[in-house]
């Protein structure tokens, strides 16, 4: 059975193709249209399809549009109609307003027509609407390999729920409880990020900034914004005013005006630290309740808050759950996979061992496409006898290497196929990458990709999890090795590491192994191959980013281009 999964209701538009229960392809529309998050979350656009992502997934799966037997869209208009309540704190015509909701519902009614246009056939009878948080839950549970699990979903909002407690056994997923809007941890991060001078999409910046602050400075003030109890939390809607461009509640609580200058000060870091601490407490409270409701020792986590590697590390301490699984795309993009898998398991029973978790689900490119992209801009590549060893040598020499290989990763983290690699031993690498390549804030950390064979020697991992391969946990570095890898450690001594196994990514594993033989350090600095843009997808995008930055060398397939060779 060929199922096309689609997410486009809010942002992070994406597509996935599931064939007989196996995820054959998945990719995000932003990688094609070059707009971060693909599109804004607007009442006017849930019917805007991730067309390029859909076409790419079909090509990768080796099927035509006519072969698609079902389409799963990760949102339920029926559930939305049933649960929607007007928000008195909203902008006319926008989210929460009755007129804005009518626009939203009318655009949802156009989804079937939009899918039909992309597939060039009538898709009305094969289109299935899957509740958003069920799609999130499925994206984590079905690939986990667990026979049964407790499930926690925490994000901005689904149809109306902001956090969901669920359980799964065999093929079935059952929702137990939902915490509905306005009690949104995801929106809390969006609002506070904007208050601090970032955009609503910059939770990663706020998370990085939090390590520089003191969470106790504004602990009492934060308690008035989000009250955390023994088994849950509640957000003060009047103070947060999520749907209004109004920060008076926050300004009153903290005694600090919204940061419009872009200049960060100590009190901004303290606010971020208090937010992180409150998030840790709220998620921990939810897990206490979930543990009481569901007896299983396995936990699956999904939703945008599942990208918070600090909270993830906190809950992965082995005290509550023996095993934890978080997918490489726990945010909204992942619901394209989840919706398709949920539909498959609702239709075809027998789910065991069908899915082998991998983030490498995007497109890949052959020599002809690579050579064409290089020739188009006058670059003269040479073929390498061993790209892994040559790249490792350049990294050890202190050069920044762009690494473009195989199938693109699915999810927001570069995991060794669309990456920039550098020497973790050199403290100046952070400034070099932030200033000359990535053009981003100096306080933002970089991640290490470490050989699985040595990960425990260098980092405190917590409970073993395959999700360590997806850069989803902030793990403390062991004290005896910290001085040797300053470029990949945050100010608190942690790192958002990626464990690299030979079986999962043999070529990337070879790069790190070669670097290890040269230096005695079994890890490299790994950050996304981009420059204030979505991660590169195609050879042409890789070449363009190489040319406009100060990257020293581009390893693309079996070919190498160095800065000296650029015209």
């Amino acid at each position: 059975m060929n199922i096309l999964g689609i997410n486009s209701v809010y942002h992070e538009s994406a597509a996935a193709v599931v064939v007989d229960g196996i995820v054959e392809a998945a990719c995000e529309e932003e990688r094609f249209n070059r707009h971060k998050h693909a599109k804004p979350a607007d009442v006017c656009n849930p019917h805007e399809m991730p067309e390029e992502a859909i076409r790419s997934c079909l090509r990768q799966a080796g099927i035509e549009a006519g072969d698609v037997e079902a389409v799963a869209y990760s949102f339920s208009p029926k559930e939305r109609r049933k649960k929607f309540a007007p928000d008195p704190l909203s902008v006319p015509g926008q989210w929460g307003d009755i007129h804005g909701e009518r626009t939203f519902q009318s655009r949802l009614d156009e989804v079937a027509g939009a899918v039909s246009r992309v597939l060039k056939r009538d898709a009305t009878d094969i289109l299935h609407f899957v509740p958003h948080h069920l799609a999130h839950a499925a994206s984590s549970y079905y690939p986990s390999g667990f026979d049964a699990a407790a499930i926690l979903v925490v994000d901005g909002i689904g149809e109306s729920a902001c956090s969901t407690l669920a359980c799964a056994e065999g093929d079935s997923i059952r929702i137990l409880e939902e915490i509905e809007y306005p009690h949104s941890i995801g929106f809390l991060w969006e609002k506070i990020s904007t208050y601090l001078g970032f955009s609503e999409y910059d939770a990663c910046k706020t998370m990085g900034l939090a390590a520089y602050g003191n969470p106790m400075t504004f602990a009492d003030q934060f308690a008035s914004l989000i009250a955390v109890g023994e088994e849950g939390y509640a957000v003060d809607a009047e103070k947060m005013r999520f749907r209004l461009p109004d920060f008076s509640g926050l300004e009153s609580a903290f005694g600090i005006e919204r940061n419009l200058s872009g200049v960060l000060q100590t009190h901004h870091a303290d606010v971020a630290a208090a937010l992180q601490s409150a998030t840790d407490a709220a998620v921990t409270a939810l897990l206490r309740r979930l543990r009481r409701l569901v007896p299983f020792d396995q936990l699956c986590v999904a939703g945008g808050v599942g990208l918070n590697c600090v909270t993830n590390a906190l809950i992965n301490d082995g005290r509550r759950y023996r095993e934890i699984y978080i997918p490489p795309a726990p945010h909204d993009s992942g619901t394209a996979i989840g919706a398709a898998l949920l539909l498959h398991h609702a239709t075809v029973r027998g789910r065991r061992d069908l899915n082998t978790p991998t983030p490498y689900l995007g497109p890949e490119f052959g020599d002809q496409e690579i050579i064409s992209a290089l020739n188009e801009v006058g670059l003269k590549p040479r073929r390498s006898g061993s790209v892994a060893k040559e790249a490792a040598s350049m990294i050890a020499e202190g050069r920044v290497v762009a690494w473009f290989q195989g199938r693109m990763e699915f999810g927001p983290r570069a995991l060794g196929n669309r990456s920039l690699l550098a020497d973790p031993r050199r403290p100046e690498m952070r400034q070099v990458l932030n200033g000359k390549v990535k053009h981003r804030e100096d306080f933002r950390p970089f991640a290490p990709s470490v050989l699985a064979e040595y990960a425990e020697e260098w980092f405190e991992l917590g409970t073993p999890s395959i999700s360590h391969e997806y850069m989803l946990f902030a793990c403390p570095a062991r004290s005896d090795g910290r001085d040797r890898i300053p470029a990949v450690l945050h100010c608190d001594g942690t790192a958002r590491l990626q464990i690299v196994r030979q079986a999962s990514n043999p070529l990337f594993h070879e790069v790190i192994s070669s670097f290890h033989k040269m230096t005695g350090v079994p890890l490299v600095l790994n950050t996304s191959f981009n420059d204030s843009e979505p991660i590169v997808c195609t050879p042409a995008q890789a070449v363009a980013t190489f040319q406009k930055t100060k990257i020293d060398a581009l390893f693309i397939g079996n070919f190498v281009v160095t800065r000296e060779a650029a015209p």
Side-chain angles (χ1 to χ4, degrees), residues 41-55:
D42 194 279
V43 294
C44 297
N45 64 22
H47 65 303
E48 291 184 9
M49 291 292 105
E51 296 188 24
E52 292 300 322
I54 291 171
R55 295 189 185 100

Side-chain angles (χ1 to χ4, degrees), residues 6-285:
I6 296 173
N7 170 65
S8 72
V9 65
Y10 296 129
H11 46 206
E12 318 296 358
S13 300
V17 169
V18 170
V19 178
D20 294 334
I22 297 174
V23 183
E24 294 288 353
C27 51
E28 295 152 280
E29 185 70 6
E30 69 163 23
R31 308 295 169 83
F32 301 95
N33 70 13
R34 310 310 295 161
H35 297 298
K36 281 193 172 185
H37 314 289
K39 66 182 183 68
D42 194 279
V43 294
C44 297
N45 64 22
H47 65 303
E48 291 184 9
M49 291 292 105
E51 296 188 24
E52 292 300 322
I54 291 171
R55 295 189 185 100
S56 177
C57 286
L58 293 176
R59 282 195 301 271
Q60 293 165 76
I63 64 175
E64 304 287 339
D67 300 322
V68 174
E69 297 167 80
V71 178
Y73 183 91
S74 60
F75 192 84
S76 171
K78 180 180 178 180
E79 285 294 305
R80 177 72 172 204
R81 289 188 180 97
K82 183 167 64 175
K83 295 184 177 181
F84 172 76
D87 184 349
L89 301 173
S90 59
V91 176
Q94 297 300 315
W95 296 113
D97 174 67
I98 188 65
H99 300 290
E101 184 65 17
R102 287 170 184 162
T103 299
F104 182 52
Q105 289 287 350
S106 69
R107 296 298 183 268
L108 286 170
D109 291 340
E110 296 178 32
V111 167
V115 174
S116 299
R117 284 192 294 277
V118 175
L119 297 182
K120 297 181 180 179
R121 52 182 283 214
D122 187 356
T124 305
D125 292 338
I126 63 170
L127 176 61
H128 302 262
F129 291 101
V130 175
H132 192 70
H133 277 201
L134 266 179
H136 269 308
S139 75
S140 185
Y141 174 62
Y142 291 125
S144 71
F146 301 153
D147 291 312
I151 303 174
L152 177 65
V153 177
V154 185
D155 66 0
I157 193 170
E159 287 77 19
S160 62
C162 303
S163 295
T164 292
L165 310 182
C167 68
E169 287 186 86
D171 289 286
S172 301
I173 298 174
R174 181 164 57 95
I175 288 181
L176 303 175
E177 294 182 2
E178 294 179 326
I179 298 174
E180 299 193 341
Y181 181 85
H183 305 291
S184 173
I185 296 175
F187 283 172
L188 192 67
W189 276 81
E190 291 184 7
K191 189 82 173 189
I192 297 290
S193 295
T194 309
Y195 168 74
L196 292 175
F198 307 130
S199 83
E200 63 186 279
Y201 293 114
D202 285 333
C204 58
K205 296 182 182 181
T206 303
M207 184 171 63
L209 182 63
Y212 292 89
N214 180 352
M216 298 309 299
T217 302
F218 294 111
D220 291 341
Q221 291 87 337
F222 237 97
S224 71
L225 303 176
I226 175 171
V228 179
E230 181 65 21
E231 292 190 345
Y233 68 93
V235 173
D236 188 321
E238 176 61 36
K239 290 181 180 176
M240 292 309 306
R241 301 186 168 222
F242 287 132
R243 288 168 168 160
L244 291 174
D246 182 349
F247 296 85
S248 59
L250 295 178
E251 291 172 336
S252 176
F254 300 125
I256 304 167
E257 292 185 357
R258 179 188 174 190
N259 183 14
L260 296 176
S261 69
V263 177
L264 294 171
Q265 300 182 41
T266 301
H267 52 256
H268 295 126
D270 291 340
V271 170
L275 170 60
Q276 181 64 61
S277 179
T279 301
D280 294 343
V283 171
T284 301

Side-chain angles (χ1 to χ4, degrees), residues 188-507:
L188 192 67
W189 276 81
E190 291 184 7
K191 189 82 173 189
I192 297 290
S193 295
T194 309
Y195 168 74
L196 292 175
F198 307 130
S199 83
E200 63 186 279
Y201 293 114
D202 285 333
C204 58
K205 296 182 182 181
T206 303
M207 184 171 63
L209 182 63
Y212 292 89
N214 180 352
M216 298 309 299
T217 302
F218 294 111
D220 291 341
Q221 291 87 337
F222 237 97
S224 71
L225 303 176
I226 175 171
V228 179
E230 181 65 21
E231 292 190 345
Y233 68 93
V235 173
D236 188 321
E238 176 61 36
K239 290 181 180 176
M240 292 309 306
R241 301 186 168 222
F242 287 132
R243 288 168 168 160
L244 291 174
D246 182 349
F247 296 85
S248 59
L250 295 178
E251 291 172 336
S252 176
F254 300 125
I256 304 167
E257 292 185 357
R258 179 188 174 190
N259 183 14
L260 296 176
S261 69
V263 177
L264 294 171
Q265 300 182 41
T266 301
H267 52 256
H268 295 126
D270 291 340
V271 170
L275 170 60
Q276 181 64 61
S277 179
T279 301
D280 294 343
V283 171
T284 301
L286 291 176
L287 289 179
R288 279 194 290 265
R289 183 163 186 78
L290 183 59
R291 187 64 176 154
R292 183 169 62 79
L293 295 174
V294 182
F296 305 136
D297 290 328
Q298 290 75 29
L299 172 68
C300 293
V301 177
V305 177
L307 287 170
N308 191 306
C309 58
V310 176
T311 301
N312 291 345
L314 176 70
I315 66 178
N316 191 44
D317 59 5
R319 289 186 296 176
R320 299 174 189 84
Y321 293 95
R322 184 163 50 87
E323 295 178 274
I324 292 179
Y325 180 76
I326 309 171
H331 62 331
D332 276 6
S333 291
T335 64
I337 289 179
L341 287 175
L342 194 77
L343 185 55
H344 168 80
H345 292 295
T347 308
V348 181
R349 296 290 173 178
R351 59 173 290 273
R352 294 298 82 201
D353 300 322
L354 286 176
N355 286 281
T356 302
T358 176
Y360 308 109
L361 295 166
E364 61 183 333
F365 302 88
D367 286 357
Q368 185 174 351
E369 293 162 298
I370 291 171
I371 291 294
S372 176
L374 292 166
N375 288 342
E376 182 71 23
V377 295
L379 290 177
K380 295 178 172 56
R382 59 178 173 80
R383 188 180 289 270
S384 173
S386 174
V387 289
K389 291 179 180 177
E390 190 173 348
S393 179
M394 288 191 185
I395 295 166
E397 293 168 0
R399 294 201 257 180
V400 177
V401 165
W403 184 251
F404 184 105
Q405 304 292 335
R407 296 186 69 174
M408 181 178 65
E409 304 92 333
F410 182 62
R413 309 270 160 82
L415 301 174
N417 280 11
R418 301 290 187 274
S419 292
L420 297 177
L421 308 177
D423 191 339
R425 302 171 301 164
R426 302 173 185 265
E428 71 273 13
M429 269 303 158
R430 291 184 59 172
Q431 286 71 38
V432 169
L433 284 164
N434 276 329
K436 296 183 178 180
V437 179
K438 304 282 286 186
H439 301 110
R440 66 180 201 176
E441 297 84 0
D442 288 339
F443 67 83
R444 297 178 63 185
F446 290 100
S449 292
V450 56
L451 297 175
E453 302 93 313
Y454 297 93
E456 281 279 9
E457 294 180 19
W458 287 74
F459 297 95
E460 298 174 23
L461 301 179
T463 303
S465 170
I466 191 174
S467 299
H468 278 110
E469 296 186 28
Y470 309 147
M471 218 178 271
L472 289 170
F473 299 100
C475 301
R478 296 197 182 277
S479 57
D480 54 351
R482 289 185 180 183
D483 291 343
R484 300 178 67 189
I485 52 173
V488 294
L489 296 186
H490 206 17
C491 62
D492 59 0
T494 65
R496 189 186 67 193
L497 82 162
Q498 175 202 8
I499 287 179
V500 181
R501 303 182 193 280
Q502 186 175 33
S504 301
N505 194 329
L507 188 58

